[in-house]
Each structure stands twice: as C-alpha cells, then as structure tokens.
C-alpha cells in the first residue's frame, strides 16, 4: 500500500494527556483484560504512546509495537523501556505491517481500527502475520446499536471528528469487519465507555478475541 507519512501533531499532544485520564477512568482495566493470558510473540498495531505495554503478562516473549505517528512513537519508546516484557517500537502502517507471514501468536488492536485508512486491508495484514490458530485481541469503539446515536455518528464522521481526532471514525462496524476478514470471534463484550448519562459518539465499545480460521 502506498501512503505518505502519518503526522497528527495536535492530536498526538492531546491524546498523550487524554490517555492518562482515560486510563484513570477505567481504560487501564480494559487494556489489562485485552492482553490477559497472551503468550509468545505479539504484534501490537497502532501502539500509540504505549499505554498497553505495562499490562502484558510475563508469558509474552516479545512485542513488536507498530506506530506510524512520530510523536506517539517516541512516547511509546519511552514506555517500552519500563515494560515488563521486551517491546520493540517501530514505524509502520496497519495496512503494511513490518512482520513476516505467520510469525505472531497474537495481534493486539487497541483503539486503532477506527482510524486506519483501510480497515479491511489492516485486518488482512493481521491475518497474514498470525500463525494458524493465532488470536486477534481487540478493544475498539464501534457503531452504536441505537438509531439515534448512529445518526450522530454519521454526522460527526462526515464533518469534524476525523479532522480533530487523527482520522478516527466513530461509526465503523468493526466486529463485522473482523468476521469478514476470516476470523472467528470467540469472545465479545460490548459496553459503553465512558459510562455517562448522555453517551458520546465514541462511547460504544467492544472488547474481545477472535481466532484466525
């Protein structure tokens, strides 16, 4: 895939601060669940500033963390130095992962499939780098179940949201895309985060696991 450098300097600065607040509000617990029980070789796609690194269990041999945004990648390298498992942070796109075929025991996708340029291509790459029977773990915000919030998602996705949030789209049917890419979803938890009285466009989330067919 041909695509220029990914640079979102304003979003990167805002996200670096917001991710700390998100973790304090409960995202850290979701990240911990996301990677619980993993072992062997892991590819983390869209690692951001490395907030998931601290939660990898000791059974993980190594993590190849792919992050295209240079400011977030620099922060991830700082976080990798304190991770409980070996983490290598590299430049790269979800649609063209710098990893060999069938090399990974698991691929971790955390709040990234909302912003990739080509979701289907990114999931094909996840499938390519996974060994047969390997797992995709995902924590993503997704299309709302209610018609009213879906209308709001369509409106913000067509206007300001992607511009302000580093290419993020709130209304993608990510679970359907995972299944369409040839994965069998084996675990799925749907919830609202943050769990406020008036849900934001990006509040509907899923956390789950899928196996490469």
């Amino acid at each position: 895939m041909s695509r220029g450098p990914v640079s979102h300097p304003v979003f990167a600065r805002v996200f670096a601060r917001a991710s700390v607040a998100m973790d304090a509000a409960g995202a850290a617990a979701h990240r911990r669940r996301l990677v619980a029980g993993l072992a062997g070789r892991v590819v983390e796609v869209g690692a951001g500033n490395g907030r998931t690194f601290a939660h990898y269990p000791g059974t993980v041999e190594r993590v190849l963390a792919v992050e295209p945004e240079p400011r977030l990648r620099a922060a991830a390298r700082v976080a990798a130095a304190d991770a409980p498992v070996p983490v290598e942070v590299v430049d790269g796109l979800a649609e063209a992962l710098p990893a060999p075929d069938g090399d990974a025991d698991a691929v971790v996708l955390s709040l990234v499939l909302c912003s990739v340029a080509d979701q289907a291509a990114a999931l094909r790459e996840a499938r390519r780098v996974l060994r047969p029977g390997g797992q995709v773990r995902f924590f993503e915000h997704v299309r709302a179940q209610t018609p009213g919030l879906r209308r709001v998602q369509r409106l913000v996705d067509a206007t300001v949201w992607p511009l302000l949030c580093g290419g993020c789209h709130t209304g993608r049917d990510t679970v359907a895309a995972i299944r369409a890419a040839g994965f069998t979803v084996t675990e799925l938890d749907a919830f609202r985060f943050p769990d406020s009285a008036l849900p934001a466009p990006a509040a509907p989330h899923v956390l789950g696991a899928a196996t490469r067919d």
Side-chain angles (χ1 to χ4, degrees), residues 140-154 170-176 179 188-192 199-206:
E140 299 284 346
H141 61 79
V142 294
R143 180 179 298 175
Q145 295 299 306
T146 58
L149 190 52
R150 280 202 300 270
R151 285 194 292 271
V152 173
Q153 288 179 327
R154 286 196 295 270
T170 64
R172 290 181 172 177
D173 192 352
T174 297
V175 176
R179 291 189 170 113
L188 185 65
D189 181 19
F191 54 94
R192 195 166 66 193
H205 280 68
V206 292

PDB file of all heavy atoms in Angstrom, residues 140-154 170-176 179 188-192 199-206:
ATOM      1  N   GLU A 140     -12.025  -1.675  20.848  1.00  0.00           N
ATOM      2  CA  GLU A 140     -12.325  -0.652  19.855  1.00  0.00           C
ATOM      3  C   GLU A 140     -13.660   0.014  20.166  1.00  0.00           C
ATOM      4  O   GLU A 140     -14.567  -0.622  20.717  1.00  0.00           O
ATOM      5  CB  GLU A 140     -12.418  -1.281  18.455  1.00  0.00           C
ATOM      6  CG  GLU A 140     -11.146  -1.962  17.968  1.00  0.00           C
ATOM      7  CD  GLU A 140     -10.082  -0.967  17.522  1.00  0.00           C
ATOM      8  OE1 GLU A 140     -10.408   0.234  17.342  1.00  0.00           O
ATOM      9  OE2 GLU A 140      -8.934  -1.392  17.330  1.00  0.00           O
ATOM     10  N   HIS A 141     -13.786   1.284  19.787  1.00  0.00           N
ATOM     11  CA  HIS A 141     -15.126   1.865  19.812  1.00  0.00           C
ATOM     12  C   HIS A 141     -15.759   1.660  18.450  1.00  0.00           C
ATOM     13  O   HIS A 141     -15.069   1.637  17.414  1.00  0.00           O
ATOM     14  CB  HIS A 141     -15.123   3.328  20.268  1.00  0.00           C
ATOM     15  CG  HIS A 141     -14.362   4.275  19.421  1.00  0.00           C
ATOM     16  ND1 HIS A 141     -14.850   4.792  18.237  1.00  0.00           N
ATOM     17  CD2 HIS A 141     -13.141   4.836  19.580  1.00  0.00           C
ATOM     18  CE1 HIS A 141     -13.988   5.622  17.724  1.00  0.00           C
ATOM     19  NE2 HIS A 141     -12.923   5.665  18.504  1.00  0.00           N
ATOM     20  N   VAL A 142     -17.085   1.469  18.444  1.00  0.00           N
ATOM     21  CA  VAL A 142     -17.762   0.902  17.276  1.00  0.00           C
ATOM     22  C   VAL A 142     -19.099   1.587  17.018  1.00  0.00           C
ATOM     23  O   VAL A 142     -19.539   2.454  17.779  1.00  0.00           O
ATOM     24  CB  VAL A 142     -17.999  -0.614  17.478  1.00  0.00           C
ATOM     25  CG1 VAL A 142     -16.689  -1.370  17.513  1.00  0.00           C
ATOM     26  CG2 VAL A 142     -18.808  -0.874  18.753  1.00  0.00           C
ATOM     27  N   ARG A 143     -19.738   1.132  15.956  1.00  0.00           N
ATOM     28  CA  ARG A 143     -21.056   1.640  15.581  1.00  0.00           C
ATOM     29  C   ARG A 143     -22.056   1.412  16.713  1.00  0.00           C
ATOM     30  O   ARG A 143     -22.098   0.338  17.336  1.00  0.00           O
ATOM     31  CB  ARG A 143     -21.535   0.919  14.325  1.00  0.00           C
ATOM     32  CG  ARG A 143     -22.904   1.371  13.829  1.00  0.00           C
ATOM     33  CD  ARG A 143     -23.285   0.637  12.571  1.00  0.00           C
ATOM     34  NE  ARG A 143     -22.339   0.927  11.483  1.00  0.00           N
ATOM     35  CZ  ARG A 143     -22.377   0.337  10.298  1.00  0.00           C
ATOM     36  NH1 ARG A 143     -23.293  -0.593  10.042  1.00  0.00           N
ATOM     37  NH2 ARG A 143     -21.506   0.656   9.367  1.00  0.00           N
ATOM     38  N   ALA A 144     -22.876   2.415  16.976  1.00  0.00           N
ATOM     39  CA  ALA A 144     -23.873   2.339  18.043  1.00  0.00           C
ATOM     40  C   ALA A 144     -24.994   1.368  17.672  1.00  0.00           C
ATOM     41  O   ALA A 144     -25.280   1.132  16.496  1.00  0.00           O
ATOM     42  CB  ALA A 144     -24.448   3.717  18.316  1.00  0.00           C
ATOM     43  N   GLN A 145     -25.653   0.837  18.688  1.00  0.00           N
ATOM     44  CA  GLN A 145     -26.781  -0.064  18.482  1.00  0.00           C
ATOM     45  C   GLN A 145     -28.091   0.694  18.298  1.00  0.00           C
ATOM     46  O   GLN A 145     -29.041   0.168  17.726  1.00  0.00           O
ATOM     47  CB  GLN A 145     -26.913  -1.017  19.672  1.00  0.00           C
ATOM     48  CG  GLN A 145     -25.737  -1.970  19.834  1.00  0.00           C
ATOM     49  CD  GLN A 145     -25.578  -2.872  18.631  1.00  0.00           C
ATOM     50  OE1 GLN A 145     -26.520  -3.549  18.217  1.00  0.00           O
ATOM     51  NE2 GLN A 145     -24.383  -2.888  18.051  1.00  0.00           N
ATOM     52  N   THR A 146     -28.158   1.933  18.790  1.00  0.00           N
ATOM     53  CA  THR A 146     -29.399   2.699  18.730  1.00  0.00           C
ATOM     54  C   THR A 146     -29.398   3.618  17.509  1.00  0.00           C
ATOM     55  O   THR A 146     -28.378   4.227  17.173  1.00  0.00           O
ATOM     56  CB  THR A 146     -29.574   3.543  19.996  1.00  0.00           C
ATOM     57  OG1 THR A 146     -28.449   4.416  20.137  1.00  0.00           O
ATOM     58  CG2 THR A 146     -29.657   2.641  21.225  1.00  0.00           C
ATOM     59  N   PRO A 147     -30.552   3.746  16.832  1.00  0.00           N
ATOM     60  CA  PRO A 147     -30.613   4.570  15.617  1.00  0.00           C
ATOM     61  C   PRO A 147     -30.227   6.027  15.864  1.00  0.00           C
ATOM     62  O   PRO A 147     -29.569   6.642  15.016  1.00  0.00           O
ATOM     63  CB  PRO A 147     -32.076   4.447  15.176  1.00  0.00           C
ATOM     64  CG  PRO A 147     -32.566   3.187  15.795  1.00  0.00           C
ATOM     65  CD  PRO A 147     -31.821   3.040  17.095  1.00  0.00           C
ATOM     66  N   GLY A 148     -30.628   6.593  17.000  1.00  0.00           N
ATOM     67  CA  GLY A 148     -30.325   7.986  17.280  1.00  0.00           C
ATOM     68  C   GLY A 148     -28.837   8.255  17.355  1.00  0.00           C
ATOM     69  O   GLY A 148     -28.326   9.209  16.745  1.00  0.00           O
ATOM     70  N   LEU A 149     -28.127   7.423  18.094  1.00  0.00           N
ATOM     71  CA  LEU A 149     -26.684   7.621  18.220  1.00  0.00           C
ATOM     72  C   LEU A 149     -25.972   7.290  16.920  1.00  0.00           C
ATOM     73  O   LEU A 149     -24.955   7.917  16.590  1.00  0.00           O
ATOM     74  CB  LEU A 149     -26.132   6.782  19.373  1.00  0.00           C
ATOM     75  CG  LEU A 149     -24.672   7.062  19.771  1.00  0.00           C
ATOM     76  CD1 LEU A 149     -24.439   8.546  20.032  1.00  0.00           C
ATOM     77  CD2 LEU A 149     -24.271   6.237  20.994  1.00  0.00           C
ATOM     78  N   ARG A 150     -26.492   6.337  16.148  1.00  0.00           N
ATOM     79  CA  ARG A 150     -25.897   6.059  14.837  1.00  0.00           C
ATOM     80  C   ARG A 150     -25.992   7.284  13.929  1.00  0.00           C
ATOM     81  O   ARG A 150     -25.062   7.571  13.172  1.00  0.00           O
ATOM     82  CB  ARG A 150     -26.569   4.850  14.175  1.00  0.00           C
ATOM     83  CG  ARG A 150     -26.076   3.512  14.679  1.00  0.00           C
ATOM     84  CD  ARG A 150     -26.338   2.401  13.682  1.00  0.00           C
ATOM     85  NE  ARG A 150     -27.743   2.240  13.391  1.00  0.00           N
ATOM     86  CZ  ARG A 150     -28.577   1.448  14.061  1.00  0.00           C
ATOM     87  NH1 ARG A 150     -28.128   0.763  15.110  1.00  0.00           N
ATOM     88  NH2 ARG A 150     -29.841   1.342  13.720  1.00  0.00           N
ATOM     89  N   ARG A 151     -27.120   8.002  13.995  1.00  0.00           N
ATOM     90  CA  ARG A 151     -27.252   9.219  13.192  1.00  0.00           C
ATOM     91  C   ARG A 151     -26.218  10.260  13.615  1.00  0.00           C
ATOM     92  O   ARG A 151     -25.614  10.939  12.767  1.00  0.00           O
ATOM     93  CB  ARG A 151     -28.667   9.782  13.317  1.00  0.00           C
ATOM     94  CG  ARG A 151     -29.717   9.014  12.536  1.00  0.00           C
ATOM     95  CD  ARG A 151     -31.005   9.792  12.408  1.00  0.00           C
ATOM     96  NE  ARG A 151     -31.672   9.944  13.702  1.00  0.00           N
ATOM     97  CZ  ARG A 151     -32.547   9.070  14.198  1.00  0.00           C
ATOM     98  NH1 ARG A 151     -32.848   7.969  13.523  1.00  0.00           N
ATOM     99  NH2 ARG A 151     -33.119   9.289  15.360  1.00  0.00           N
ATOM    100  N   VAL A 152     -26.012  10.387  14.922  1.00  0.00           N
ATOM    101  CA  VAL A 152     -24.996  11.322  15.416  1.00  0.00           C
ATOM    102  C   VAL A 152     -23.612  10.904  14.916  1.00  0.00           C
ATOM    103  O   VAL A 152     -22.812  11.740  14.481  1.00  0.00           O
ATOM    104  CB  VAL A 152     -25.031  11.393  16.956  1.00  0.00           C
ATOM    105  CG1 VAL A 152     -23.868  12.231  17.489  1.00  0.00           C
ATOM    106  CG2 VAL A 152     -26.356  11.966  17.438  1.00  0.00           C
ATOM    107  N   GLN A 153     -23.322   9.617  14.969  1.00  0.00           N
ATOM    108  CA  GLN A 153     -22.025   9.121  14.493  1.00  0.00           C
ATOM    109  C   GLN A 153     -21.824   9.438  13.016  1.00  0.00           C
ATOM    110  O   GLN A 153     -20.737   9.865  12.606  1.00  0.00           O
ATOM    111  CB  GLN A 153     -21.919   7.619  14.741  1.00  0.00           C
ATOM    112  CG  GLN A 153     -21.748   7.245  16.202  1.00  0.00           C
ATOM    113  CD  GLN A 153     -21.678   5.743  16.401  1.00  0.00           C
ATOM    114  OE1 GLN A 153     -22.318   4.977  15.670  1.00  0.00           O
ATOM    115  NE2 GLN A 153     -20.917   5.312  17.380  1.00  0.00           N
ATOM    116  N   ARG A 154     -22.841   9.223  12.204  1.00  0.00           N
ATOM    117  CA  ARG A 154     -22.711   9.529  10.769  1.00  0.00           C
ATOM    118  C   ARG A 154     -22.439  11.013  10.553  1.00  0.00           C
ATOM    119  O   ARG A 154     -21.633  11.390   9.692  1.00  0.00           O
ATOM    120  CB  ARG A 154     -23.977   9.095  10.022  1.00  0.00           C
ATOM    121  CG  ARG A 154     -24.106   7.599   9.835  1.00  0.00           C
ATOM    122  CD  ARG A 154     -25.145   7.249   8.787  1.00  0.00           C
ATOM    123  NE  ARG A 154     -26.486   7.641   9.201  1.00  0.00           N
ATOM    124  CZ  ARG A 154     -27.333   6.862   9.884  1.00  0.00           C
ATOM    125  NH1 ARG A 154     -26.952   5.636  10.233  1.00  0.00           N
ATOM    126  NH2 ARG A 154     -28.529   7.281  10.200  1.00  0.00           N
ATOM    127  N   THR A 170     -16.211   7.208  14.239  1.00  0.00           N
ATOM    128  CA  THR A 170     -16.915   6.629  15.390  1.00  0.00           C
ATOM    129  C   THR A 170     -17.863   5.502  15.012  1.00  0.00           C
ATOM    130  O   THR A 170     -18.215   4.686  15.864  1.00  0.00           O
ATOM    131  CB  THR A 170     -17.735   7.712  16.109  1.00  0.00           C
ATOM    132  OG1 THR A 170     -18.768   8.204  15.229  1.00  0.00           O
ATOM    133  CG2 THR A 170     -16.852   8.870  16.539  1.00  0.00           C
ATOM    134  N   GLY A 171     -18.306   5.437  13.740  1.00  0.00           N
ATOM    135  CA  GLY A 171     -19.424   4.561  13.396  1.00  0.00           C
ATOM    136  C   GLY A 171     -19.069   3.327  12.599  1.00  0.00           C
ATOM    137  O   GLY A 171     -19.930   2.788  11.887  1.00  0.00           O
ATOM    138  N   ARG A 172     -17.852   2.835  12.700  1.00  0.00           N
ATOM    139  CA  ARG A 172     -17.477   1.655  11.922  1.00  0.00           C
ATOM    140  C   ARG A 172     -17.991   0.356  12.586  1.00  0.00           C
ATOM    141  O   ARG A 172     -17.914   0.209  13.804  1.00  0.00           O
ATOM    142  CB  ARG A 172     -15.962   1.578  11.771  1.00  0.00           C
ATOM    143  CG  ARG A 172     -15.412   2.656  10.852  1.00  0.00           C
ATOM    144  CD  ARG A 172     -13.910   2.563  10.677  1.00  0.00           C
ATOM    145  NE  ARG A 172     -13.438   3.493   9.655  1.00  0.00           N
ATOM    146  CZ  ARG A 172     -12.165   3.677   9.331  1.00  0.00           C
ATOM    147  NH1 ARG A 172     -11.225   2.986   9.944  1.00  0.00           N
ATOM    148  NH2 ARG A 172     -11.831   4.539   8.394  1.00  0.00           N
ATOM    149  N   ASP A 173     -18.487  -0.550  11.755  1.00  0.00           N
ATOM    150  CA  ASP A 173     -18.966  -1.846  12.247  1.00  0.00           C
ATOM    151  C   ASP A 173     -17.764  -2.803  12.292  1.00  0.00           C
ATOM    152  O   ASP A 173     -17.603  -3.684  11.445  1.00  0.00           O
ATOM    153  CB  ASP A 173     -20.068  -2.380  11.337  1.00  0.00           C
ATOM    154  CG  ASP A 173     -20.790  -3.567  11.950  1.00  0.00           C
ATOM    155  OD1 ASP A 173     -20.342  -4.070  13.001  1.00  0.00           O
ATOM    156  OD2 ASP A 173     -21.809  -4.001  11.367  1.00  0.00           O
ATOM    157  N   THR A 174     -16.942  -2.616  13.298  1.00  0.00           N
ATOM    158  CA  THR A 174     -15.646  -3.290  13.353  1.00  0.00           C
ATOM    159  C   THR A 174     -15.769  -4.784  13.589  1.00  0.00           C
ATOM    160  O   THR A 174     -14.979  -5.567  13.036  1.00  0.00           O
ATOM    161  CB  THR A 174     -14.783  -2.624  14.447  1.00  0.00           C
ATOM    162  OG1 THR A 174     -14.550  -1.257  14.056  1.00  0.00           O
ATOM    163  CG2 THR A 174     -13.467  -3.327  14.640  1.00  0.00           C
ATOM    164  N   VAL A 175     -16.725  -5.216  14.376  1.00  0.00           N
ATOM    165  CA  VAL A 175     -16.877  -6.661  14.627  1.00  0.00           C
ATOM    166  C   VAL A 175     -17.248  -7.372  13.334  1.00  0.00           C
ATOM    167  O   VAL A 175     -16.709  -8.446  13.023  1.00  0.00           O
ATOM    168  CB  VAL A 175     -17.911  -6.920  15.733  1.00  0.00           C
ATOM    169  CG1 VAL A 175     -18.123  -8.418  15.913  1.00  0.00           C
ATOM    170  CG2 VAL A 175     -17.450  -6.295  17.052  1.00  0.00           C
ATOM    171  N   ALA A 176     -18.138  -6.789  12.549  1.00  0.00           N
ATOM    172  CA  ALA A 176     -18.485  -7.384  11.250  1.00  0.00           C
ATOM    173  C   ALA A 176     -17.264  -7.440  10.345  1.00  0.00           C
ATOM    174  O   ALA A 176     -17.065  -8.429   9.617  1.00  0.00           O
ATOM    175  CB  ALA A 176     -19.604  -6.583  10.590  1.00  0.00           C
ATOM    176  N   ARG A 179     -15.002 -10.360  11.336  1.00  0.00           N
ATOM    177  CA  ARG A 179     -15.551 -11.639  10.843  1.00  0.00           C
ATOM    178  C   ARG A 179     -15.352 -11.761   9.329  1.00  0.00           C
ATOM    179  O   ARG A 179     -14.983 -12.834   8.825  1.00  0.00           O
ATOM    180  CB  ARG A 179     -17.035 -11.737  11.203  1.00  0.00           C
ATOM    181  CG  ARG A 179     -17.298 -11.908  12.698  1.00  0.00           C
ATOM    182  CD  ARG A 179     -18.767 -12.208  12.965  1.00  0.00           C
ATOM    183  NE  ARG A 179     -18.990 -12.608  14.352  1.00  0.00           N
ATOM    184  CZ  ARG A 179     -19.679 -11.878  15.234  1.00  0.00           C
ATOM    185  NH1 ARG A 179     -20.207 -10.712  14.877  1.00  0.00           N
ATOM    186  NH2 ARG A 179     -19.830 -12.303  16.480  1.00  0.00           N
ATOM    187  N   LEU A 188     -16.641 -11.678  23.169  1.00  0.00           N
ATOM    188  CA  LEU A 188     -17.093 -10.336  22.798  1.00  0.00           C
ATOM    189  C   LEU A 188     -17.854  -9.721  23.960  1.00  0.00           C
ATOM    190  O   LEU A 188     -18.859 -10.263  24.428  1.00  0.00           O
ATOM    191  CB  LEU A 188     -17.993 -10.389  21.562  1.00  0.00           C
ATOM    192  CG  LEU A 188     -18.437  -9.032  21.007  1.00  0.00           C
ATOM    193  CD1 LEU A 188     -17.238  -8.247  20.498  1.00  0.00           C
ATOM    194  CD2 LEU A 188     -19.461  -9.220  19.893  1.00  0.00           C
ATOM    195  N   ASP A 189     -17.355  -8.589  24.411  1.00  0.00           N
ATOM    196  CA  ASP A 189     -18.002  -7.822  25.471  1.00  0.00           C
ATOM    197  C   ASP A 189     -18.301  -6.435  24.918  1.00  0.00           C
ATOM    198  O   ASP A 189     -17.378  -5.728  24.495  1.00  0.00           O
ATOM    199  CB  ASP A 189     -17.073  -7.735  26.692  1.00  0.00           C
ATOM    200  CG  ASP A 189     -17.692  -6.965  27.850  1.00  0.00           C
ATOM    201  OD1 ASP A 189     -18.931  -6.806  27.871  1.00  0.00           O
ATOM    202  OD2 ASP A 189     -16.939  -6.518  28.745  1.00  0.00           O
ATOM    203  N   ALA A 190     -19.567  -6.060  24.890  1.00  0.00           N
ATOM    204  CA  ALA A 190     -19.971  -4.743  24.410  1.00  0.00           C
ATOM    205  C   ALA A 190     -20.365  -3.880  25.602  1.00  0.00           C
ATOM    206  O   ALA A 190     -21.109  -4.316  26.484  1.00  0.00           O
ATOM    207  CB  ALA A 190     -21.133  -4.874  23.430  1.00  0.00           C
ATOM    208  N   PHE A 191     -19.889  -2.647  25.624  1.00  0.00           N
ATOM    209  CA  PHE A 191     -20.155  -1.767  26.766  1.00  0.00           C
ATOM    210  C   PHE A 191     -19.975  -0.318  26.328  1.00  0.00           C
ATOM    211  O   PHE A 191     -19.476  -0.042  25.237  1.00  0.00           O
ATOM    212  CB  PHE A 191     -19.207  -2.093  27.934  1.00  0.00           C
ATOM    213  CG  PHE A 191     -17.753  -2.070  27.566  1.00  0.00           C
ATOM    214  CD1 PHE A 191     -16.980  -0.933  27.741  1.00  0.00           C
ATOM    215  CD2 PHE A 191     -17.135  -3.207  27.026  1.00  0.00           C
ATOM    216  CE1 PHE A 191     -15.639  -0.916  27.391  1.00  0.00           C
ATOM    217  CE2 PHE A 191     -15.797  -3.200  26.681  1.00  0.00           C
ATOM    218  CZ  PHE A 191     -15.046  -2.051  26.859  1.00  0.00           C
ATOM    219  N   ARG A 192     -20.374   0.583  27.205  1.00  0.00           N
ATOM    220  CA  ARG A 192     -20.222   1.999  26.932  1.00  0.00           C
ATOM    221  C   ARG A 192     -19.078   2.549  27.783  1.00  0.00           C
ATOM    222  O   ARG A 192     -18.994   2.274  28.977  1.00  0.00           O
ATOM    223  CB  ARG A 192     -21.521   2.729  27.273  1.00  0.00           C
ATOM    224  CG  ARG A 192     -21.600   4.133  26.701  1.00  0.00           C
ATOM    225  CD  ARG A 192     -23.020   4.658  26.772  1.00  0.00           C
ATOM    226  NE  ARG A 192     -23.482   4.843  28.139  1.00  0.00           N
ATOM    227  CZ  ARG A 192     -24.744   5.046  28.484  1.00  0.00           C
ATOM    228  NH1 ARG A 192     -25.675   5.064  27.554  1.00  0.00           N
ATOM    229  NH2 ARG A 192     -25.086   5.233  29.736  1.00  0.00           N
ATOM    230  N   PRO A 199     -24.516   9.460  26.240  1.00  0.00           N
ATOM    231  CA  PRO A 199     -23.380   8.829  25.559  1.00  0.00           C
ATOM    232  C   PRO A 199     -22.812   9.688  24.445  1.00  0.00           C
ATOM    233  O   PRO A 199     -23.544  10.283  23.661  1.00  0.00           O
ATOM    234  CB  PRO A 199     -23.967   7.524  25.009  1.00  0.00           C
ATOM    235  CG  PRO A 199     -25.432   7.764  24.921  1.00  0.00           C
ATOM    236  CD  PRO A 199     -25.766   8.710  26.033  1.00  0.00           C
ATOM    237  N   ALA A 200     -21.488   9.762  24.389  1.00  0.00           N
ATOM    238  CA  ALA A 200     -20.790  10.470  23.326  1.00  0.00           C
ATOM    239  C   ALA A 200     -20.767   9.607  22.068  1.00  0.00           C
ATOM    240  O   ALA A 200     -20.995   8.392  22.134  1.00  0.00           O
ATOM    241  CB  ALA A 200     -19.372  10.795  23.774  1.00  0.00           C
ATOM    242  N   PRO A 201     -20.467  10.182  20.903  1.00  0.00           N
ATOM    243  CA  PRO A 201     -20.425   9.385  19.668  1.00  0.00           C
ATOM    244  C   PRO A 201     -19.469   8.201  19.743  1.00  0.00           C
ATOM    245  O   PRO A 201     -19.726   7.156  19.131  1.00  0.00           O
ATOM    246  CB  PRO A 201     -19.974  10.406  18.615  1.00  0.00           C
ATOM    247  CG  PRO A 201     -20.420  11.721  19.145  1.00  0.00           C
ATOM    248  CD  PRO A 201     -20.281  11.628  20.634  1.00  0.00           C
ATOM    249  N   ALA A 202     -18.369   8.342  20.479  1.00  0.00           N
ATOM    250  CA  ALA A 202     -17.385   7.267  20.558  1.00  0.00           C
ATOM    251  C   ALA A 202     -17.559   6.392  21.800  1.00  0.00           C
ATOM    252  O   ALA A 202     -16.672   5.613  22.143  1.00  0.00           O
ATOM    253  CB  ALA A 202     -15.970   7.850  20.545  1.00  0.00           C
ATOM    254  N   ALA A 203     -18.702   6.487  22.475  1.00  0.00           N
ATOM    255  CA  ALA A 203     -18.896   5.717  23.707  1.00  0.00           C
ATOM    256  C   ALA A 203     -19.095   4.215  23.496  1.00  0.00           C
ATOM    257  O   ALA A 203     -18.622   3.416  24.308  1.00  0.00           O
ATOM    258  CB  ALA A 203     -20.066   6.294  24.497  1.00  0.00           C
ATOM    259  N   PRO A 204     -19.784   3.752  22.445  1.00  0.00           N
ATOM    260  CA  PRO A 204     -19.967   2.300  22.295  1.00  0.00           C
ATOM    261  C   PRO A 204     -18.628   1.606  22.018  1.00  0.00           C
ATOM    262  O   PRO A 204     -17.934   1.943  21.057  1.00  0.00           O
ATOM    263  CB  PRO A 204     -20.914   2.186  21.090  1.00  0.00           C
ATOM    264  CG  PRO A 204     -21.578   3.515  20.977  1.00  0.00           C
ATOM    265  CD  PRO A 204     -20.545   4.502  21.415  1.00  0.00           C
ATOM    266  N   HIS A 205     -18.281   0.637  22.857  1.00  0.00           N
ATOM    267  CA  HIS A 205     -17.013  -0.075  22.738  1.00  0.00           C
ATOM    268  C   HIS A 205     -17.255  -1.582  22.711  1.00  0.00           C
ATOM    269  O   HIS A 205     -18.276  -2.080  23.207  1.00  0.00           O
ATOM    270  CB  HIS A 205     -16.095   0.229  23.934  1.00  0.00           C
ATOM    271  CG  HIS A 205     -15.373   1.534  23.842  1.00  0.00           C
ATOM    272  ND1 HIS A 205     -16.008   2.746  23.914  1.00  0.00           N
ATOM    273  CD2 HIS A 205     -14.034   1.817  23.697  1.00  0.00           C
ATOM    274  CE1 HIS A 205     -15.110   3.724  23.821  1.00  0.00           C
ATOM    275  NE2 HIS A 205     -13.924   3.184  23.689  1.00  0.00           N
ATOM    276  N   VAL A 206     -16.285  -2.280  22.164  1.00  0.00           N
ATOM    277  CA  VAL A 206     -16.238  -3.744  22.276  1.00  0.00           C
ATOM    278  C   VAL A 206     -14.834  -4.150  22.704  1.00  0.00           C
ATOM    279  O   VAL A 206     -13.849  -3.477  22.392  1.00  0.00           O
ATOM    280  CB  VAL A 206     -16.611  -4.455  20.962  1.00  0.00           C
ATOM    281  CG1 VAL A 206     -18.080  -4.249  20.619  1.00  0.00           C
ATOM    282  CG2 VAL A 206     -15.709  -4.006  19.812  1.00  0.00           C
TER     283      VAL A 206
END
